Every structure is written in structure tokens, then in C-alpha cells.
Amino acid sequence: MENIWNNILGIVVSFIYVFGVIFLAKFLERFGKEASRKAVHILVCNWWLLAMVFFDSPFWAAVVPACFVILNYLSYRFQIFSSMERGGGKGDLGTVYYAISLLLLALITFGPLNNPVVGGVGILIMGYGDGLAAVVGTRWPKRPYQIFGSEKTLSGSLTMLGASFLVTTLLLAATGQPQVLIPAITLALLATLLEAATPLGLDNLTVPLVSAGTYYFLFV
């Protein structure tokens, strides 16, 4: 019974946190739409840390991301949460893909793998790496380039590399993993390549899923 209440508390805290991030992003819209959108992208990934504290099964861990797969799609269609949407004409489902990644990794890493750290690697790389890369690449665009029709900047890619390395190192060290530096370097390089080459918001799928899978198969 204690575990059930702990999981229910986790659901409540999770929704408070995510809607708090969306409310904060609404305030940040006055500084620009892209700033508010990336604030959501970066801060929401911290939900995974809450999940690791509260949830003890894939069912409970999947509840919040499953809800946001639906809510994010409705927001994409009807601009419900304007602070986290690109706006008309962009034609990508990045926010929906984000929630799908959270859902899949929650089901897999809290379930069969029984190792939420694996999912955390992918989600934090997506949140901080991809999010900060977009901020820096937009604010200080240095050396633009194209891969498979995806437009990126060298400044953004270097930020992706550094942020991915840092969050992976911190997560693995904080959770007492036996290997830290080699996985962090490997995943940072891989995630940077994926982010650079994946168009239309699909990097919100490729970056977390491939990063988490690579970490599991190579280092766990």
C-alpha cells in the first residue's frame, strides 16, 4: 500500500512540475517564442529524475508521458500550449515525438531492463543537449551547414557535444555507474551526429532512443 501511495504522489508531483514548466514558459514568451519553447524542452527532461525517485513499475512511469502524447498532439493541432509550439507552417511534431520517447523509454527501462538510468541517459541528452544546441545555434549562429536537408550550425553542434557529455557524466557518476567517461564521450559524439542529421523534429526520437540503446548494449 505504501508503494501505491508513493506512485500516486509521483503522478501528482509530475503533473505539478510539468504544468509549472509550461506556465513558466508562458511567462518567458515575452522574451521570444523560441526562448519559451526551448525552456519547456530543456526543463521537462528533468521529469525523468522525479520518475526515478517515485515510480517502481513501467505502468506508473508511463502514465504521465502517455497523457502528454495525447495533450501534445492536441496542442500541436490546436495551439493549446502556444509557448511550447513552433507555430504554423513548421510542419513537425517535435513535441509529440518528445513525449513518445519518454513513454517508450519509461515502458522499457522501468520494465524489462529494470534500469531507469538507461532511459535517463537518452532523455537528459535530448533535453539539455538538443535544447541548448538550439538556443546557442539560434542566438550565436556560427558556421552554418546542412546534412540531409537539416540546417545546423557549428556553434550549436559543439554545444550539443559539450552538454551531452556533461549531463551523461553527471548522471552516471551520481548513480554510481562503474563506467563514466568512455560512455559519456561515446554518447556525446553519437548524439551530436544524430541531432545534426535528423530533420523535422525527429531528433526527439532518434537522439534519446539511440543514445539509450547504445548505452545499454555497449556499457551495461
Side-chain angles (χ1 to χ4, degrees):
M1 182 62 70
E2 182 180 347
N3 284 344
I4 291 176
W5 285 112
N6 195 59
N7 284 293
I8 291 173
L9 177 61
I11 298 292
V12 173
V13 171
S14 294
F15 277 110
I16 291 172
Y17 176 74
V18 175
F19 280 110
V21 169
I22 294 172
F23 178 79
L24 173 63
K26 189 69 179 175
F27 170 77
L28 293 175
E29 271 194 286
R30 67 185 64 188
F31 301 106
K33 188 69 173 288
E34 190 66 12
S36 67
R37 196 175 71 84
K38 282 306 172 184
V40 173
H41 185 96
I42 293 168
L43 293 175
V44 163
C45 77
N46 293 325
W47 169 81
W48 195 270
L49 304 178
L50 294 176
M52 290 173 66
V53 171
F54 287 103
F55 302 132
D56 59 12
S57 79
F59 168 77
W60 290 107
V63 169
V64 174
C67 289
F68 276 95
V69 169
I70 298 170
L71 287 174
N72 287 4
Y73 180 73
L74 292 174
S75 179
Y76 166 80
R77 287 294 303 276
F78 305 111
Q79 296 292 301
I80 297 170
F81 304 122
S82 61
S83 57
M84 69 181 194
E85 301 296 341
R86 287 185 184 273
K90 292 294 184 179
D92 74 62
L93 287 160
T95 57
V96 180
Y97 299 147
Y98 194 123
I100 290 173
S101 291
L102 286 166
L103 175 59
L104 292 175
L105 288 175
L107 289 171
I108 294 168
T109 64
F110 279 85
L113 300 188
N114 194 29
N115 192 340
V117 173
V118 172
V121 166
I123 294 303
L124 293 180
I125 286 176
M126 174 179 66
Y128 282 96
D130 182 48
L132 291 173
V135 171
V136 172
T138 301
R139 184 69 178 83
W140 298 282
K142 303 293 184 182
R143 302 285 183 95
Y145 64 92
Q146 261 192 14
I147 299 181
F148 304 130
S150 180
E151 296 184 2
K152 303 294 179 180
T153 63
L154 180 60
S155 54
S157 292
L158 289 175
T159 302
M160 176 76 184
L161 182 68
S164 299
F165 172 79
L166 182 59
V167 295
T168 303
T169 300
L170 291 175
L171 178 63
L172 297 183
T175 54
Q177 304 307 304
Q179 299 184 76
V180 175
L181 290 181
I182 293 177
I185 293 169
T186 303
L187 296 177
L189 289 169
L190 175 63
T192 301
L193 291 173
L194 289 168
E195 192 272 341
T198 311
L200 299 176
L202 286 166
D203 54 344
N204 285 345
L205 285 173
T206 59
V207 169
L209 297 179
V210 176
S211 296
T214 300
Y215 174 66
Y216 179 74
F217 286 111
L218 292 185
F219 301 109
V220 174

Coordinates of all heavy atoms in Angstrom, one line a residue, residues 1 22 91 98 115 126:
M1 N 0.8 -1.2 0.0 CA 0.0 0.0 0.0 C 0.9 1.3 0.0 O 0.6 2.2 -0.7 CB -0.9 0.0 1.2 CG -1.9 1.2 1.3 SD -3.0 1.3 -0.1 CE -4.1 -0.1 0.2
I22 N 5.4 24.6 -18.1 CA 4.6 25.3 -19.2 C 4.1 26.7 -18.8 O 4.2 27.6 -19.6 CB 3.4 24.4 -19.5 CG1 3.8 23.1 -20.1 CG2 2.4 25.1 -20.5 CD1 2.7 22.0 -20.4
G91 N 5.5 22.4 -39.7 CA 5.3 21.1 -40.2 C 6.0 20.0 -39.5 O 6.3 19.0 -40.1
Y98 N 8.8 14.0 -28.6 CA 9.4 14.1 -27.3 C 8.7 13.2 -26.3 O 9.3 12.4 -25.5 CB 9.4 15.6 -26.9 CG 10.2 16.0 -25.7 CD1 11.2 17.0 -25.8 CD2 10.1 15.4 -24.4 CE1 12.0 17.4 -24.8 CE2 10.8 15.8 -23.4 CZ 11.8 16.8 -23.5 OH 12.5 17.2 -22.5
N115 N 16.2 -0.7 -15.4 CA 17.4 0.2 -15.2 C 17.0 1.6 -15.8 O 17.4 1.9 -16.9 CB 18.6 -0.4 -16.0 CG 19.9 0.3 -15.7 OD1 19.9 1.4 -15.2 ND2 21.0 -0.4 -15.9
M126 N 18.7 14.4 -24.8 CA 17.7 15.1 -25.6 C 17.4 16.4 -25.0 O 17.3 17.4 -25.8 CB 16.5 14.2 -25.7 CG 15.3 14.9 -26.5 SD 13.9 13.9 -26.7 CE 13.3 13.8 -25.0

